[in-house]
Amino acid sequence: MKKNKIVTTEDILLKLCQSVSGVLSSATDSNVSYSAMVQKINKTSLKPDFGCFVLFDGGFSGLVVINFTAKAALELYTKYMQNMGIPAEELAIAHTSDEVGDVLGELMNQLVGDFTNKIRKELQTHITQNQPKMLSLNKQVILSVDTNLDRPQARRVTFSTENHNIFYLELAMDKTEFIQLEEFEMDEDENPDDILEKTQQQMREKEKQNEPKGNNDADDLLSELGL
């Protein structure tokens, strides 16, 4: 008899950690890693210096919190902007800058989007997210989940940037299990690098087509007329 595959809270947390690490590493062109050990906690909370959070709902409900130190926030912001081609002299120097909050919010939006896509494909269910919120903090704020969780579970995972600056991911969600009853095929994701390269190639071809041709057209016309 076939043994049914079971996906637990820890498996879902692992998918989230992979999304965080993968999206931040790609966006900043640096190595962002996470600890192989996970910590059980009683409550999620926003902590100094910079806290981001997003709620999700649907197949299951929960809350994702990421607490950055000032150094980790600035490193990720700086490397992301430089990877986008922005000169260093044009970048913000304080983690309290609105620019830093906007970038971290965009990155969180991307990583939670990647996570919800994994859930859709691998667990055959659907979850939606709200717009991420960011707060610059100098005191700890206890944040409760405003959703109907019968048996809430909370976990914390430590992340490290390439420069060894630490930040923390916290996940709160209902205790749940997904049990695979039948085999199914997952759609393959396109490689983000391939998509980017394809887009850049299309832009180069378009620019080439729009380049001024000088007198070439006139020369071709005179040649056709035998002049």
Side-chain angles (χ1 to χ4, degrees):
M1 183 175 179
K2 188 189 81 169
K3 184 177 179 181
N4 294 328
K5 179 182 177 182
I6 298 177
V7 177
T8 65
T9 301
E10 276 64 36
D11 296 318
I12 293 173
L13 175 62
L14 177 60
K15 297 180 193 302
L16 177 59
C17 289
Q18 290 169 344
S19 289
V20 174
S21 176
V23 169
L24 293 183
S25 295
S26 177
T28 61
D29 193 23
S30 64
N31 182 41
V32 177
S33 58
Y34 55 89
S35 170
M37 300 296 292
V38 57
Q39 180 182 2
K40 287 187 176 182
I41 56 178
N42 295 322
K43 292 182 179 179
T44 57
S45 60
L46 292 172
K47 298 185 178 72
D49 295 296
F50 206 98
C52 302
F53 68 95
V54 61
L55 290 161
F56 57 85
D57 203 0
F60 55 91
S61 300
L63 168 73
V64 177
V65 174
I66 301 183
N67 292 309
F68 297 97
T69 61
K71 289 183 178 180
L74 274 175
E75 180 188 345
L76 294 173
Y77 158 78
T78 300
K79 288 186 174 179
Y80 172 75
M81 296 297 280
Q82 289 179 335
N83 194 33
M84 296 287 286
I86 308 300
E89 58 271 16
E90 296 182 14
L91 302 181
I93 58 174
H95 77 279
T96 53
S97 169
D98 289 342
E99 287 185 29
V100 177
D102 290 343
V103 165
L104 292 181
E106 173 58 30
L107 290 174
M108 188 153 188
N109 198 39
Q110 291 180 26
L111 65 89
V112 176
D114 186 79
F115 169 64
T116 57
N117 188 49
K118 278 188 172 70
I119 294 300
R120 177 184 59 80
K121 289 195 319 170
E122 298 179 25
L123 300 184
Q124 299 284 287
T125 190
H126 182 72
I127 58 175
T128 58
Q129 68 187 75
N130 72 343
Q131 188 65 26
K133 305 292 188 299
M134 292 72 61
L135 293 172
S136 177
L137 303 164
N138 54 19
K139 292 183 180 180
Q140 179 171 321
V141 177
I142 300 298
L143 192 70
S144 61
V145 185
D146 188 21
T147 49
N148 296 322
L149 299 184
D150 296 326
R151 295 181 297 167
Q153 292 187 310
R155 303 285 188 269
R156 179 187 293 133
V157 180
T158 303
F159 280 74
S160 178
T161 67
E162 193 168 72
N163 294 343
H164 307 294
N165 291 313
I166 302 299
F167 64 94
Y168 299 93
L169 166 75
E170 295 183 5
L171 169 68
M173 61 174 288
D174 215 350
K175 184 176 181 179
T176 187
E177 290 183 350
F178 285 84
I179 303 170
Q180 182 177 335
L181 300 179
E182 295 183 349
E183 296 291 335
F184 60 89
E185 292 185 2
M186 289 187 293
D187 297 331
E188 291 187 6
D189 282 339
E190 286 192 76
N191 188 319
D193 293 333
D194 292 341
I195 296 174
L196 180 60
E197 184 178 349
K198 184 177 179 181
T199 303
Q200 292 175 339
Q201 180 64 27
Q202 290 173 345
M203 291 176 65
R204 284 194 293 267
E205 290 177 357
K206 188 174 181 181
E207 289 175 359
K208 189 174 181 181
Q209 291 173 358
N210 293 333
E211 285 180 357
K213 298 182 179 179
N215 295 324
N216 288 342
D217 289 344
D219 292 341
D220 290 342
L221 178 59
L222 291 173
S223 177
E224 290 177 9
L225 293 174
L227 299 175

